[in-house]
């Protein structure tokens, strides 16, 4: 849960997926148990901050939710997941009013997916603008052009 705070600092950079492992990558390297345990910790923290106690949400329900998240979103990176849980805890994608509902929890990912798509588009536009700046950064004035042309350098 503390990693969620660190993840939010450079929010836009978190969507450069080639830089960070996905849930699926972690499963391949460390096994399914590790990724499910990690998701359970994040889910439990998010639910507790929403007023849902672990007693209300049974352990097997949280485990089922962790598996459902992995099955549906194996491509999400760890920083993206941390950002989702951070935003979930802040109420950006709705609230639970103290009652656990797996379907409702999974629906909160729809809002996150829209947010993620917008951030990825913004990142792509930023990178494209940077490349254009590099390409056009070698501009010369009209006077310079004429001088070079007269000197037959062009």
């Amino acid at each position: 849960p503390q990693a969620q705070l660190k993840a939010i600092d450079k929010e836009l950079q978190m969507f450069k997926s080639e830089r960070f492992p996905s849930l699926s990558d972690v499963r391949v390297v460390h096994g399914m148990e590790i990724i499910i345990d990690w998701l359970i910790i994040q889910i439990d923290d998010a639910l507790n901050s929403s007023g849902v106690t672990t007693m209300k949400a049974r352990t097997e329900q949280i485990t089922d939710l962790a598996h459902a998240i992995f099955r549906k979103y194996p491509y999400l990176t760890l920083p993206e997941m941390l950002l989702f849980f951070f935003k979930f805890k802040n109420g950006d994608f709705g609230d639970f009013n103290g009652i656990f509902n797996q379907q409702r929890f999974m629906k909160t990912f729809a809002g996150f997916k829209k947010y993620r798509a917008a951030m990825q588009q913004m990142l792509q536009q930023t990178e494209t603008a940077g490349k254009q700046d590099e390409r056009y950064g070698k501009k010369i004035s009209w006077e310079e052009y004429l001088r070079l042309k007269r000197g037959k350098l062009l």
Side-chain angles (χ1 to χ4, degrees):
Q2 279 75 22
Q4 293 169 11
L5 296 174
K6 290 180 184 175
I8 195 77
D9 285 342
K10 295 182 180 177
E11 194 169 327
L12 190 58
Q13 296 303 312
M14 292 171 38
F15 294 97
K16 288 188 173 185
S17 59
E18 68 276 1
R19 294 180 57 195
F20 303 107
S22 67
L23 295 175
S24 185
D25 294 336
V26 174
R27 181 191 57 87
V28 168
V29 173
H30 299 287
M32 187 67 149
E33 186 177 341
I34 296 297
I35 197 62
I36 295 301
D37 287 347
W38 184 82
L39 283 168
I40 288 170
I41 290 167
Q42 301 303 319
I43 293 166
D44 188 50
D45 178 60
L47 291 176
N48 284 334
S49 71
S50 301
V52 178
T53 63
T54 309
M55 297 298 278
K56 290 180 186 174
R58 296 188 318 254
T59 305
E60 56 268 9
Q61 288 177 312
I62 293 174
T63 302
D64 288 346
L65 178 57
H67 282 279
I69 291 169
F70 177 79
R71 280 191 307 275
K72 191 157 184 173
Y73 304 106
Y75 57 88
L76 290 177
T77 65
L78 296 183
E80 288 172 336
M81 290 301 300
L82 292 173
L83 181 62
F84 165 78
F85 285 112
F86 178 81
K87 289 189 163 295
F88 176 87
K89 287 169 32 175
N90 285 332
D92 292 358
F93 305 117
D95 58 55
F96 278 85
N97 298 324
I99 300 169
F100 175 76
N101 181 320
Q102 182 172 333
Q103 288 179 333
R104 193 167 173 191
F105 193 98
M106 291 300 287
K107 285 182 182 180
T108 62
F109 274 98
F112 181 72
K113 283 176 56 179
K114 287 179 186 175
Y115 170 77
R116 179 181 186 259
M119 293 298 282
Q120 287 177 326
Q121 183 178 9
M122 186 185 310
L123 183 63
Q124 186 177 22
Q125 288 171 347
T126 302
E127 289 175 352
T128 301
K131 288 178 185 173
Q132 287 176 347
D133 287 346
E134 287 175 16
R135 191 176 74 207
Y136 295 119
K138 299 175 184 169
K139 297 178 189 177
I140 60 172
S141 68
W142 179 250
E143 292 79 18
E144 181 72 14
Y145 169 77
L146 292 175
R147 189 178 61 76
L148 291 172
K149 187 175 179 184
R150 278 191 299 267
K152 306 220 189 255
L153 297 174
L154 286 177

